[in-house]
Amino acid sequence: MTGVLLVTGASSGIGRAVAERALARGWRVALLARRGAALEEAAAGREAALPLVCDVTDAAAVDRAVATAAVRFGRIDVLFNNAGVFPRMATIDEVEPAEWRETVEVNLTGMFLCARAAFRAMRTQRPPGGRIINNGSLSAQVPRPGSVAYTATKHAVTGLTRALALDGRPFGIACGQIDIGNAATAMTREMDRGMPQADGTLRPEPRMDVAEAAEAVLHMAGLPAGANVLFMTVMATAMPFAGRG
């Protein structure tokens, strides 16, 4: 199945990998991010790609972007709610309130605003329905040391996912969450040098090809309306997840 896919955080990392892979598979894709030049590069002038500069923490900007995509493509079939930040690692007493607020604004409020706009479009389009895929994290299940703001927001995303999966039922809107561990992107380069572990040591961690994460997202996106992956975990096989904490 293909259709119209909206991807936030599409200028780099997992979001860009999903957008580019979807375009290659025949999806029409709206790419949202703050960096216009990187979006244009990802879109590569393809007719099926619609780059839209958008700050996911700005409600009006999100509403405009989703409305623009719906007008251009006629509907919104899937939102990959992906934009997020990973702040510096620190214990809670070392986290500045401004850092906490920024993390909450992007990772939680941004996801709320994008889901809100997409849900509205999916509910009112004809025929109604669609799918929202929230990018959680393994930290939505088990935290890393020094990740209080990130972990708190990702646990909250799980609550958002569960609520949307319930509230979307009367309108044919499915919602699921993908928790990705150690996909090889610019954000995870530090893992090759070493990451803090629960026992206080610093050790390198294996990473997986980001294409595998993108493939998992597109599997969720391509399911028929009557099926849904509520939660999926995909990770580098040998990463220290099961023993974390």
Side-chain angles (χ1 to χ4, degrees):
M1 171 188 158
T2 59
V4 177
L5 171 65
L6 193 154
V7 180
T8 67
S11 61
S12 63
I14 295 169
R16 179 163 178 169
V18 168
E20 291 180 338
R21 206 170 188 84
L23 285 164
R25 299 273 177 87
W27 288 81
R28 291 169 290 164
V29 182
L31 301 87
L32 276 63
R34 289 179 295 185
R35 297 182 297 149
L39 282 179
E40 293 290 347
E41 182 182 296
R46 287 172 281 203
E47 181 65 25
L50 176 62
L52 295 167
V53 175
C54 179
D55 179 348
V56 298
T57 68
D58 182 334
V62 169
D63 286 348
R64 283 195 301 271
V66 173
T68 299
V71 169
R72 165 71 176 272
F73 295 129
R75 62 183 291 111
I76 304 292
D77 293 305
V78 180
L79 163 66
F80 179 40
N81 214 359
N82 167 71
V85 295
F86 189 90
R88 68 185 181 93
M89 301 181 80
T91 54
I92 191 168
D93 57 311
E94 297 173 331
V95 175
E96 295 296 329
E99 293 176 295
W100 169 269
R101 292 189 188 99
E102 180 188 10
T103 307
V104 171
E105 277 296 291
V106 177
N107 290 3
L108 182 55
T109 304
M111 280 209 176
F112 160 76
L113 292 174
C114 292
R116 174 177 177 265
F119 193 102
R120 181 191 300 117
M122 293 171 181
R123 179 178 177 174
T124 57
Q125 63 195 5
R126 292 292 177 266
R131 188 179 306 274
I132 296 170
I133 302 170
N134 292 327
N135 191 354
S137 166
L138 294 191
S139 290
Q141 302 178 41
V142 181
R144 284 188 177 279
S147 66
V148 63
Y150 184 79
T151 296
T153 59
K154 292 304 184 177
H155 273 68
V157 167
T158 298
L160 178 67
T161 299
R162 292 185 187 279
L164 288 175
L166 177 60
D167 291 348
R169 286 179 189 172
F171 313 107
I173 301 170
C175 185
Q177 178 172 316
I178 185 164
D179 294 335
I180 299 170
N182 291 16
T185 67
M187 185 182 289
T188 62
R189 282 193 192 123
E190 197 66 28
M191 292 177 179
D192 292 338
R193 291 186 282 273
M195 292 294 289
Q197 304 298 314
D199 63 2
T201 62
L202 190 73
R203 294 199 301 273
E205 294 187 9
R207 298 190 296 163
M208 67 175 181
D209 191 330
V210 69
E212 301 305 328
E215 193 66 38
V217 172
L218 290 179
H219 168 70
M220 295 173 70
L223 288 171
N228 184 40
V229 172
L230 184 60
F231 291 99
M232 177 189 286
T233 298
V234 59
M235 55 182 256
T237 302
M239 69 171 290
F241 168 60
R244 192 193 295 178

